[in-house]
Amino acid sequence: MDEKLQWLKRYSETCGVSGFEGRIKKVLLERLSGMAEVSYDKLGSLVFTKEAADSKAPKVMLASHMDEVGFMVKYITKEGYLKFVCLGGWWEQVMLSQRVIVHGRKGDLVGVIGSTPPHVLSAEERSKVAQKKNMYIDIGAYSEEEVREMGVYEGCPVTPDVQMAQMGDGKTLVGKAWDNRIGCAVMADVMENVHNNSTPNTVYGVATVQEEVGLRGAQTSATMLQPDVAFIIDTCVAGGTPGVSDEVAPAKIGEGIAISIFDATMIPCTALRDFAFETAKELGLKTQISISEGGGTDGGRIHLVGPGVLTLGFSIPTRYIHSHQSVIHMDDYLDCVKLITAMLAKLDAAKYQELLKA
C-alpha cells in the first residue's frame, strides 16, 4: 500500500464523532508536522497557517470538517443495554446489526446495534422501518452495574467499527467517515504543496469540528480568521447507482471533482465558481457539478462571517454517505488537490479584487 493510501486508511479508520474529534486531530497534526503554524479556535477546530510575505495578500481558508457521524450513550438499562442519541443525520435502515466501538473510560469496547430477528416479527412489523428510539447497543454486559464497571457511562461517544479496503479496480475505496476525512486528506495535501511552493496569499488549512451537528466549528474558526476567500472541501451524494437519478445527484465517483452550484445553505460565489471551472479546463481535469437541495456544508456559515466571504464548495462524490460504509474514487481526490493548488497559485491580490468586483 503506497503512502497516500496508508494515510487515507488512517483518516478513515480513526474515530472522531462530532464533539469528540481528538483522535483525528492528532493524526492531522502528525501529517502536517513542521509544515505550518498551528492554532485552534475555542471550539476545537484545528488551523494550519502559512503566512504570505505581503501583509495585504488575500487570506484563503481551506475548510474541511474532521468530525464523522456517530452516536452518544444517553441511558443504560438495568439489563445492560445502551440507549443512544445520533450525532449527525442517520437513516434507520442502515443502522441495525452494525458493529460499533463504544469509547469508555477504560478503553474501547466492541458493540452491535441490536435488531429483532424476523422470526418473531409479524408480517406488518417486518414491512416497517425500525425507529431509532427503539434501538440499543449490546456490548456483552448483563446489568447496568457491569456496564459501569466496564467504564461506560452516559456521554460516551460511539463510532462505526469499519476498516478501509480497496475494491475491484484498486482505486475505488470503501470505508467509514469519508464524509469528511477525504476532505481532510485534500486539505492536508494542499497545505503540503503550499509548504513546498509559496503562494501569493495567506492560506489557512482548517479542520473544523461539529459540522455534522450544525456547522459549528465553521462559524467559530472563520470568525477567528476573518478570511477573504473560502474553499469548502467536503463530499456530495454520488449518483449513478440504482434509485438515484441524475437530476437529484448528477456527480458520479471517478468522473471528476464536483463543484457546487447550489446547496440549501449557500449560493456559491459565481466568479469563484467560474474561476474554478476555467482553471480545471486549463489543467485538463474533469469536473462535475454538485447540487444539494436538502443539505449544506461549512460554507453555509463561513460565507456570512463579517462583511462576507467569497466562498465555493468542492466535493468528492461519495456513495452511501451517512452510513457505516461509503465509497469514493482515488482520482477524484487527487484531482481536487491539483485544482485547489493551482487556484491558490493564481489567487493574488489583483485576482482577488477581480473576483470581488465581478
Side-chain angles (χ1 to χ4, degrees):
M1 187 178 289
D2 69 20
E3 186 178 9
K4 285 193 182 297
L5 276 171
Q6 288 174 357
W7 277 111
L8 290 177
K9 183 175 175 65
R10 289 186 65 185
Y11 296 142
S12 173
E13 294 179 4
T14 299
C15 298
V17 299
S18 304
F20 299 89
E21 297 92 350
R23 295 188 189 187
I24 185 61
K25 195 178 297 185
K26 289 179 181 178
V27 172
L28 289 167
L29 284 167
E30 179 185 343
R31 170 69 179 85
L32 289 172
S33 177
M35 297 186 193
E37 180 184 339
V38 176
S39 59
Y40 306 85
D41 70 14
K42 293 182 180 179
L43 211 61
S45 299
L46 176 59
V47 181
F48 298 98
T49 302
K50 288 295 290 184
E51 292 276 359
D54 182 0
S55 61
K56 295 182 180 179
K59 298 182 292 183
V60 184
M61 179 179 185
L62 311 179
S64 56
H65 71 88
M66 60 179 156
D67 58 317
E68 63 182 299
V69 293
F71 314 97
M72 180 195 289
V73 176
K74 72 171 183 179
Y75 180 75
I76 303 168
T77 74
K78 66 179 188 302
E79 298 85 6
Y81 298 108
L82 313 179
K83 301 291 284 186
F84 58 87
V85 295
C86 293
L87 300 176
W90 283 92
W91 183 40
E92 288 92 341
Q93 202 98 324
V94 303
M95 294 168 61
L96 288 177
S97 300
Q98 296 290 341
R99 278 195 183 190
V100 294
I101 303 172
V102 179
H103 306 286
R105 287 194 178 100
K106 296 180 179 180
D108 293 346
L109 297 167
V110 173
V112 63
I113 298 178
S115 61
T116 305
H119 310 70
V120 297
L121 294 174
S122 68
E124 182 182 0
E125 288 172 326
R126 286 197 296 270
S127 68
K128 293 180 179 179
V129 176
Q131 296 184 50
K132 299 183 188 82
K133 66 181 182 180
N134 296 326
M135 296 182 191
Y136 57 88
I137 296 171
D138 184 345
I139 58 170
Y142 300 94
S143 68
E144 179 185 352
E145 291 74 21
E146 191 173 358
V147 169
R148 296 191 186 280
E149 287 172 5
M150 291 178 177
V152 176
Y153 57 95
E154 297 86 351
C156 280
V158 180
T159 52
D161 185 5
V162 178
Q163 291 186 331
M164 190 207 86
Q166 292 172 265
M167 299 180 79
D169 64 353
K171 290 186 175 183
T172 303
L173 308 178
V174 61
K176 76 169 182 67
W178 290 133
D179 179 13
N180 182 40
R181 301 298 166 66
I182 193 61
C184 292
V186 172
M187 180 274 288
D189 286 6
V190 172
M191 290 305 297
E192 181 177 17
N193 291 342
V194 170
H195 170 70
N196 292 330
N197 303 279
S198 61
T199 59
N201 37 60
T202 290
V203 184
Y204 304 115
V206 186
T208 65
V209 295
Q210 299 189 40
E211 190 267 359
E212 297 292 1
V213 292
L215 317 180
R216 297 169 186 173
Q219 180 171 330
T220 52
S221 58
T223 299
M224 179 178 78
L225 298 172
Q226 295 290 304
D228 300 305
V229 176
F231 293 159
I232 315 303
I233 313 164
D234 208 323
T235 59
C236 66
V237 174
T241 58
V244 182
S245 70
D246 289 349
E247 178 184 354
V248 173
K252 300 173 179 63
I253 72 167
E255 294 297 321
I257 315 110
I259 297 172
S260 176
I261 62 169
F262 175 88
D263 69 43
T265 64
M266 180 183 73
I267 298 173
C269 170
T270 54
L272 202 55
R273 178 201 67 194
D274 294 345
F275 176 37
F277 281 119
E278 290 164 7
T279 304
K281 186 175 181 180
E282 291 170 5
L283 295 172
L285 301 177
K286 294 187 294 184
T287 58
Q288 307 180 80
I289 63 167
S290 169
I291 184 164
S292 176
E293 297 179 63
T297 68
D298 276 343
R301 294 289 182 90
I302 292 171
H303 82 292
L304 298 175
V305 165
V309 181
L310 304 187
T311 305
L312 179 64
F314 300 84
S315 293
I316 306 302
T318 306
R319 295 175 182 162
Y320 326 124
I321 60 174
H322 286 219
S323 73
H324 286 65
Q325 311 275 356
S326 52
V327 175
I328 61 167
H329 198 282
M330 279 285 289
D331 289 349
D332 301 331
Y333 145 62
L334 296 172
D335 284 355
C336 193
V337 173
K338 293 174 186 175
L339 176 57
I340 293 176
T341 300
M343 291 177 70
L344 287 174
K346 295 181 176 184
L347 218 171
D348 57 13
K351 184 63 178 180
Y352 171 66
Q353 288 300 319
E354 177 189 325
L355 294 168
L356 191 63
K357 296 173 182 177

